[in-house]
Amino acid sequence: MHLLWQQCQRALLLSLLLLRLFAAAAPASLHHQTLFVHFYDSIMDAPAHLCAIESASRLLHQGDVKVFAKDIEGFHKHWPIQLARVNVNSIDLAEIFMNTPLWEWYANNRHTESSMVSQNLSNALRLAVIWKYGGMYIDLDIIATSPLFFTAHGNLARQHAPDNPKFDYNNAVLNFPRSHPFVWRLMEEFVNGFDGFTWGENGPALITRVYNGCMADRDPVCADLEVSAAWRHSPIPYSDIPLVLQQNWMGTELWEKVQQVSWATHWYHNQFKMTNTTCVLRGSVFEKIMTDTCPVIRQVFGEQIFCSAEPAQEQENR
């Protein structure tokens, strides 16, 4: 009986040891939470940005949606619903940047040496929150359309940049466990190569040069990284986004791609400026996407977001 008890103890200890070894070897979960940074006050001029949050809360089957808001009172004022697992946090720049390579850059006011201060602070913030909290950072102009976006996504994402290879990868989607060394490397390069006057240098170009350099050097820091194809989250090229906002092309091959092979749709918020409108045509693909993925935002803000005629035509009628 004593021998049998010893054998049981050994088996139990062996099982515990194997479990501990497996836990240590297994990669940290990438999908325990989704992170958004709500930094631009002007976002509230286009409440379609809130669709990203609702769509994530509906399709993320496990974990929380964490929103970092610059103006938390203003956010709550405009946020019309209470969704399970959506947590809103006030942005404390000093606290978020503390104990990262970004701290001295911020404390010494280097972030003000820029013509795009808010954009560069936003670029820095997403790196710091990914480092400190881990999870999947998503820009607010990316609407999730499939649960696969959260369960089968790579760490980095390619983008449509055939004419500018330094923008091969973007920083609109970043997916890392907490304290991943590649994110630390990104923050170091952010500070060392900071350029506050050239668009994209501290965003897509930063991701591209660090990743390409890491792969060229066969650095173990990026040995386990996976890259998601652009059509998974950006099935529609940037130049075609006005079609999404202003036309009904549901029967086209591109719409079939949106439905069947993509997991999200990046609608590029600055296309509102490019088309000189904040109005989206009723019956457009964008309205269909919002109706399917964020029905509450669609219902609450529909009159503010959608119009029944082309913006140019509306201007002529005034």
Side-chain angles (χ1 to χ4, degrees):
M1 187 70 177
H2 181 67
L3 179 61
L4 180 60
W5 172 245
Q6 286 182 324
Q7 290 175 338
C8 289
Q9 283 185 313
R10 291 194 189 98
L12 179 60
L13 289 172
L14 180 60
S15 298
L16 291 173
L17 178 61
L18 289 173
L19 284 173
R20 181 172 295 180
L21 289 172
F22 177 80
S29 173
L30 300 181
H31 313 288
H32 64 286
Q33 62 184 349
T34 300
L35 309 170
F36 294 98
V37 172
H38 189 277
F39 195 72
Y40 296 97
D41 295 331
S42 60
I43 279 179
M44 285 309 174
D45 295 335
H49 290 90
L50 301 176
C51 186
I53 300 171
E54 183 181 350
S55 67
S57 70
R58 292 181 180 277
L59 294 174
L60 183 67
H61 293 159
Q62 294 181 341
D64 296 327
V65 176
K66 189 183 292 289
V67 181
F68 294 87
K70 178 182 178 181
D71 177 8
I72 195 167
E73 292 184 3
F75 181 87
H76 281 299
K77 179 181 177 181
H78 288 86
W79 181 240
I81 52 178
Q82 292 295 324
L83 291 174
R85 299 182 288 111
V86 175
N87 304 309
V88 185
N89 307 265
S90 181
I91 292 175
D92 184 330
L93 292 172
E95 180 182 354
I96 291 176
F97 291 145
M98 184 69 70
N99 299 320
T100 76
L102 297 164
W103 167 247
E104 290 189 7
W105 169 82
Y106 173 72
N108 294 333
N109 290 320
R110 284 194 62 200
H111 63 286
T112 63
E113 300 170 5
S114 171
S115 57
M116 301 168 285
V117 174
S118 292
Q119 182 190 86
N120 288 315
L121 280 172
S122 176
N123 287 333
L125 271 169
R126 68 193 66 184
L127 299 178
V129 297
I130 279 284
W131 167 261
K132 289 196 168 183
Y133 297 96
M136 186 175 185
Y137 166 82
I138 308 172
D139 269 359
L140 281 164
D141 57 357
I142 295 180
I143 299 175
T145 55
S146 168
L148 288 174
F149 188 50
F150 303 101
T151 60
H153 202 281
N155 306 96
L156 300 173
R158 281 191 176 274
Q159 66 178 355
H160 298 283
D163 300 325
N164 196 340
K166 77 173 185 177
F167 292 156
D168 273 351
Y169 304 91
N170 66 32
N171 63 339
V173 179
L174 299 168
N175 195 11
F176 288 90
R178 185 172 58 185
S179 302
H180 194 285
F182 184 77
V183 180
W184 186 269
R185 184 75 57 81
L186 289 173
M187 291 189 290
E188 288 181 325
E189 174 58 23
F190 184 100
V191 174
N192 294 335
F194 180 68
D195 177 353
F197 299 93
T198 304
W199 185 91
E201 283 300 307
N202 315 301
L206 167 73
I207 306 297
T208 301
R209 67 177 178 266
V210 173
Y211 179 73
N212 286 343
C214 190
M215 294 299 290
D217 295 338
R218 298 185 178 181
D219 193 318
V221 166
C222 56
D224 63 339
L225 299 187
E226 296 183 4
V227 177
S228 178
W231 48 266
R232 288 299 192 189
H233 65 92
S234 300
I236 306 157
Y238 179 84
S239 58
D240 291 338
I241 292 300
L243 300 177
V244 181
L245 301 176
Q246 303 301 335
Q247 296 183 24
N248 183 339
W249 42 270
M250 301 258 184
T252 66
E253 181 179 342
L254 193 54
W255 172 239
E256 293 298 319
K257 188 175 184 180
V258 170
Q259 285 189 302
Q260 296 177 11
V261 301
S262 68
W263 302 329
T265 299
H266 194 171
W267 55 273
Y268 299 96
H269 68 92
N270 61 345
Q271 279 288 7
F272 277 114
K273 299 176 183 178
M274 299 293 288
T275 54
N276 195 30
T277 180
T278 57
C279 177
V280 178
L281 188 66
R282 293 187 187 279
S284 65
V285 170
F286 192 78
E287 183 183 29
K288 171 62 174 172
I289 291 172
M290 287 194 67
T291 301
D292 291 347
T293 61
C294 54
V296 175
I297 299 298
R298 164 71 180 84
Q299 180 180 4
V300 172
F301 293 107
E303 294 302 316
Q304 185 174 343
I305 297 172
F306 300 102
C307 57
S308 299
E310 294 280 3
Q313 185 177 342
E314 282 196 340
Q315 292 289 338
E316 292 175 0
N317 293 335
R318 288 181 183 177

